[in-house]
Amino acid sequence: MTPQTDHTPDQKPKQKIDRKTDIKELTPDRLTRWLVDRGLPPYRAKQILGWVYLRQVDDFVSMTNLGKADRVLLADHFSIDRLLIKDMEISADGTRKYLFELADGHRIETVLIPEKDHYTLCISSQVGCALGCRFCLTAQGGFQRNLTQGEILAQVRDILRVIDPEDARRLTNLVFMGMGEPLANYENLIRALGIITQGDYGLKFSPRRVTVSTSGLIPEIGRLGNDSDVNLAVSLNAADNPTRDRLMPINRKYPIEALLAACRRYPLKPRRRITFEYILIEGVNDDPECAHRLAKRLQSIRCKINLIAFNPHAGGDFRRPNEAAIQQFRDVLVYHNYTTVIRYSKGLDISAACGQLNAKLRGEAAKWEATEADRLRS
């Protein structure tokens, strides 16, 4: 059974009556307690979750190593839900953007990015975002709610199901860089990460290939380092407080000095580094002086830097720097001995690139981006 698909975005979602609990909302410990309370052995929890995440079953009848009465009991109390695919767009570069509808009618976007020999999945953690970063299209839609543990997991589980088995590329990398601020949904994020990286009955992703990006929620950065072994990425985008205040309002609460101090305290295993993401915006943060300031700020932090040219979108008042400015900025950082990579966004033609996820504005953005593309070519 593949994820349910519906290509009529304007149709109102059907209301579900007496909805059962999606079993993906349960942690292994909670499921174990539920089973033990009903006289079942605790090892059944791992068997059940293995069927859900490894074998991708959609009903309890298929769990053949459980007794019939146990399967009926589970079916009476739980469901194994899939997200509803409202739309899917494919970019010229092969990037696929999925518009998922949740049970309450809210919608999120998840992006499958083809790499040379694997896929990376960009996952959403919230419906919308409350942080209001000025360069981000998602922020224009406001914040609706956090995603549940099960809704986060479903993005990975469902995409694994739709990748062609004949495709030589496998989904190996996950980045929490979609809609929302992951660390603002901390408890659900951590519970989902536990299943994502669980090697026996979970989704079996290596923690080294899972990255959580944050705009700078300092208390949760410290917790993440203690509660998980995944990679940390910090959306920095400026090396001085006035500029970062302008771009990212969260900086007024957690200024750069405090944020970078938290990064210096972050527990890193050998050969691990924090990634700093820096969106280059013409006339705002893209000149060589900004690059020198950034290099000085990051001293003593084991890190690498990803430079991303701003992706213009409808309603924005920022512009993308030219290629010479991007290269010059990189050269300054390399001169200061920082590993620096220019990331060229994929999925630009379907509004799937960095900072562009927002289904509500897709139509308006597509028209504006076509005009902007013509301007850049001229």
Side-chain angles (χ1 to χ4, degrees):
M1 178 178 178
T2 56
Q4 188 177 359
T5 306
D6 180 350
H7 290 290
T8 55
D10 295 329
Q11 183 178 346
K12 292 183 178 180
K14 295 179 180 179
Q15 297 297 317
K16 294 187 177 182
I17 301 173
D18 298 328
R19 179 176 171 81
K20 298 176 184 178
T21 298
D22 182 358
I23 201 164
K24 297 193 302 300
E25 299 296 352
L26 273 64
T27 62
D29 286 345
R30 184 179 167 197
L31 178 57
T32 299
R33 290 194 300 271
W34 189 91
L35 293 170
V36 169
D37 287 347
R38 286 153 183 82
L40 297 175
Y43 69 82
R44 290 292 189 203
K46 294 181 180 179
Q47 291 179 322
I48 293 164
L49 295 175
W51 281 104
V52 172
Y53 294 112
L54 296 181
R55 303 197 190 188
Q56 290 265 0
V57 301
D58 291 310
D59 57 67
F60 296 99
V61 174
S62 302
M63 299 182 181
T64 52
N65 58 351
L66 276 65
K68 183 176 179 181
D70 296 345
R71 285 178 273 169
V72 171
L73 177 67
L74 290 166
D76 285 344
H77 289 84
F78 301 110
S79 61
I80 309 173
D81 296 343
R82 295 220 180 250
L83 300 174
L84 180 66
I85 301 176
K86 294 297 288 186
D87 198 6
M88 191 272 284
E89 295 180 88
I90 303 178
S91 169
D93 60 30
T95 298
R96 283 183 267 172
K97 180 172 70 171
Y98 291 84
L99 176 63
F100 287 123
E101 183 168 280
L102 309 176
D104 61 2
H106 285 304
R107 296 174 182 180
I108 58 171
E109 294 184 349
T110 307
V111 181
L112 183 65
I113 305 166
E115 311 286 358
K116 184 178 180 180
D117 57 359
H118 67 275
Y119 284 107
T120 295
L121 188 67
C122 184
I123 303 168
S124 291
S125 56
Q126 297 180 310
V127 182
C129 186
L131 295 190
C133 297
R134 289 191 58 203
F135 50 81
C136 181
L137 186 59
T138 301
Q140 295 186 11
F143 174 75
Q144 301 298 319
R145 67 171 176 85
N146 286 327
L147 295 187
T148 66
Q149 166 190 318
E151 289 166 342
I152 294 172
L153 290 168
Q155 294 174 73
V156 186
R157 180 175 179 264
D158 289 5
I159 293 298
L160 282 168
R161 185 60 173 252
V162 300
I163 294 175
D164 188 345
E166 301 299 318
D167 193 334
R169 289 175 294 196
R170 310 312 303 159
L171 176 57
T172 60
N173 291 37
L174 306 178
V175 293
F176 283 81
M177 299 180 183
M179 298 173 67
E181 163 57 57
L183 296 190
N185 186 15
Y186 189 81
E187 299 302 332
N188 287 320
L189 170 72
I190 288 296
R191 287 194 289 265
L193 287 173
I195 291 291
I196 285 169
T197 59
Q198 212 294 319
D200 295 327
Y201 51 82
L203 289 166
K204 290 192 172 185
F205 283 84
S206 167
R208 294 181 64 89
R209 293 182 174 271
V210 180
T211 299
V212 173
S213 177
T214 178
S215 295
L217 276 63
I218 292 177
E220 287 73 22
I221 288 175
R223 293 176 67 190
L224 182 69
N226 293 322
D227 295 342
S228 180
D229 194 28
V230 299
N231 297 307
L232 174 67
V234 176
S235 183
L236 193 59
N237 307 313
D240 63 276
N241 284 311
T243 303
R244 199 166 190 266
D245 286 349
R246 175 188 172 193
L247 296 176
M248 305 176 71
I250 189 66
N251 194 70
R252 297 166 193 156
K253 183 174 183 180
Y254 300 120
I256 288 176
E257 294 82 3
L259 174 58
L260 296 184
C263 291
R264 290 184 174 92
R265 295 191 300 270
Y266 192 80
L268 285 173
K269 288 190 172 182
R271 303 182 68 179
R272 295 280 194 101
R273 292 179 289 181
I274 294 173
T275 298
F276 287 101
E277 300 159 323
Y278 194 101
I279 296 177
L280 290 163
I281 303 171
E282 183 182 75
V284 176
N285 64 354
D286 66 333
D287 61 48
E289 182 180 347
C290 292
H292 285 290
R293 188 181 301 123
L294 177 63
K296 185 175 181 179
R297 283 282 196 186
L298 299 184
Q299 285 179 352
S300 77
I301 301 178
R302 201 160 79 229
C303 66
K304 62 179 179 179
I305 304 166
N306 283 349
L307 301 179
I308 306 164
F310 173 68
N311 297 311
H313 54 70
D317 55 359
F318 296 135
R319 295 166 72 105
R320 178 189 181 96
N322 61 43
E323 193 64 25
I326 296 170
Q327 293 293 339
Q328 187 177 32
F329 197 97
R330 175 188 175 276
D331 290 345
V332 170
L333 295 174
V334 170
Y335 172 80
H336 287 282
N337 297 315
Y338 288 98
T339 298
T340 307
V341 179
I342 300 172
R343 296 293 186 189
Y344 291 97
S345 294
K346 295 186 177 182
L348 281 165
D349 55 326
I350 57 170
S351 300
C354 180
Q356 290 189 331
L357 291 184
N358 191 317
K360 295 178 182 178
L361 299 176
R362 182 190 289 111
E364 179 185 356
K367 294 177 184 177
W368 186 88
E369 285 156 10
T371 303
E372 181 68 5
D374 290 340
R375 182 188 71 80
L376 291 172
R377 283 193 294 267
S378 62

